Amino acid sequence: MKIVFMGTPDFAVPSLSMLIENGYHVAGVVTQPDRPKGRKRQLAPPPVKQAALRYHLPVLQSETLKDRDVLNQLKEWAPDLIVTAAFGQLLPPEVLQLPPLGCINVHASLLPKYRGGAPIHRAIMNGEKETGVTIMYMVEKLDAGDILTQVRVPIDDHDDVGTLHDKLSQAGAELLIQTLPRLERGEISPIPQDDALATYAPVIKREDERIDWSKPHHAVYNHIRGLRPFPVAFTTVNGQPLKVWKAIKTDQEQQNFASGTIYRLDETGIGVVCGDGVGLILTEIQPSGKKRMSAADFLRGAGAEWHIGQRLGT
């Protein structure tokens, strides 16, 4: 079986590596162009390109698969199957129709739930206890193709986007290798998705990162870990942004304070009242213009403007 692999970020690397290590013929790799990175904004190759070069695979980078040169190269590679994982582009009809075995995608959710670009973030932010990986046929509509295989992955209460990302990327790679022989032998009966059950996971925007202290403490906790380690939740203090990296839940009721109010400042961290009257302790923060640090370290040098009764988010 000759395969063309399409992917861009770290999530896709285990799938590409698993194909190579299991003896599959990867004719070429398609990924997004190099992007500026870091403070110096120097061009950096995406993780999939780096992995492909380590395996000495030909790499094609393009902003669009509709480019005639890209289409010609894909035809020259003549894949039996196209495998995508977090590629970042929809495949046009000419590409979808190219390989005899079709185009399949490794998606980080249990479809039809969480279609879209941020399924890992949204699952945690919404307090899900379980997610998974789906391998599906690709169609012109976003993440709406027939399901081939799925695997379930539990979400621990201490998981964040980083830890769950790693679990799902590895689970997806293993599921891919389990799926391909059955697909090639025609042993899988694809299952159409029920669009009525579909939910969506749109890419995280700046307004999604802001903490809403009026929500219950468990929802605020999920919001914080659902944005760590990127792009990181934030609130404001005296009009200045404050990134919140970590928090711990408590069962401490603070009914005498409005939501968003600081009710304790000590070595444990910064206690803030949430919408259900229960406190949440911020343990790692990043004030504007400063590095990430423990809340305890920050408080040792904080000025008198930090005090019990102060409101965050204003």
Side-chain angles (χ1 to χ4, degrees):
M1 182 192 298
K2 188 191 294 185
I3 294 172
V4 164
F5 185 84
M6 299 182 179
T8 301
D10 288 319
F11 179 85
V13 172
S15 290
L16 175 59
S17 297
M18 196 76 81
L19 289 172
I20 300 300
E21 291 164 10
N22 280 270
Y24 284 96
H25 178 195
V26 178
V29 172
V30 185
T31 189
Q32 300 277 12
D34 296 358
R35 305 290 188 197
K37 190 175 182 181
R39 291 186 177 181
K40 295 183 178 180
R41 308 306 291 164
Q42 294 181 335
L43 285 178
V48 164
K49 178 182 178 180
Q50 297 177 46
L53 294 178
R54 288 196 298 271
Y55 290 116
H56 307 290
L57 299 173
V59 177
L60 182 62
Q61 292 177 272
S62 178
E63 294 281 3
T64 174
L65 295 180
K66 295 180 180 179
D67 183 275
R68 182 51 52 185
D69 291 338
V70 174
L71 292 170
N72 288 339
Q73 180 61 74
L74 290 175
K75 290 177 181 178
E76 184 176 325
W77 281 336
D80 299 304
L81 177 73
I82 290 177
V83 176
T84 74
F87 178 47
Q89 296 182 35
L90 290 174
L91 274 56
E94 193 167 356
V95 175
L96 291 171
Q97 296 163 10
L98 178 63
L101 292 177
C103 304
I104 64 173
N105 182 48
V106 182
H107 182 76
S109 82
L110 295 173
L111 292 171
K113 293 185 70 172
Y114 296 112
R115 296 176 179 177
I120 302 176
H121 292 80
R122 299 292 181 178
I124 297 176
M125 292 168 73
N126 291 341
E128 300 282 3
K129 300 299 183 184
E130 181 183 65
T131 184
V133 178
T134 300
I135 295 181
M136 61 171 181
Y137 278 123
M138 297 194 72
V139 294
E140 290 185 64
K141 187 177 178 182
L142 180 66
D143 297 331
D146 291 354
I147 294 170
L148 296 172
T149 54
Q150 290 185 319
V151 62
R152 297 180 178 274
V153 175
I155 302 176
D156 186 85
D157 195 50
H158 298 292
D159 270 325
D160 60 18
V161 172
T163 61
L164 188 58
H165 168 282
D166 292 349
K167 292 178 184 179
L168 292 173
S169 63
Q170 186 61 36
E174 293 171 0
L175 182 64
L176 176 63
I177 295 305
Q178 295 167 13
T179 301
L180 289 182
R182 297 176 58 208
L183 178 66
E184 191 172 18
R185 293 193 298 264
E187 296 175 355
I188 299 176
S189 298
I191 301 173
Q193 293 189 46
D194 185 347
D195 287 344
L197 299 177
T199 61
Y200 292 88
V203 172
I204 303 295
K205 297 180 179 179
R206 178 62 172 171
E207 55 265 29
D208 298 320
E209 300 167 22
R210 184 185 293 272
I211 297 171
D212 181 355
W213 296 107
S214 69
K215 292 184 176 181
H217 73 291
H218 58 82
V220 177
Y221 173 78
N222 291 336
H223 183 92
I224 292 168
R225 67 191 182 105
L227 293 170
R228 182 180 69 241
F230 58 92
V232 186
F234 79 96
T235 187
T236 54
V237 183
N238 299 323
Q240 295 298 310
L242 176 75
K243 289 185 177 182
V244 179
W245 284 83
K246 286 187 179 181
I248 55 176
K249 289 187 289 185
T250 77
D251 56 2
Q252 301 167 352
E253 293 192 11
Q254 304 292 331
Q255 301 293 347
N256 294 329
F257 292 98
S259 60
T261 303
I262 295 174
Y263 71 92
R264 64 184 283 184
L265 297 166
D266 55 30
E267 287 296 314
T268 305
I270 301 168
V272 185
V273 182
C274 298
D276 55 357
V278 177
L280 194 72
I281 308 296
L282 312 186
T283 58
E284 283 193 38
I285 60 173
Q286 185 174 356
S288 180
K290 297 185 178 181
K291 295 182 178 180
R292 175 182 179 181
M293 66 186 78
S294 72
D297 285 345
F298 170 75
L299 290 175
R300 292 188 190 102
E305 68 271 15
W306 283 80
H307 57 87
I308 293 175
Q310 185 175 7
R311 293 287 297 277
L312 301 184
T314 59

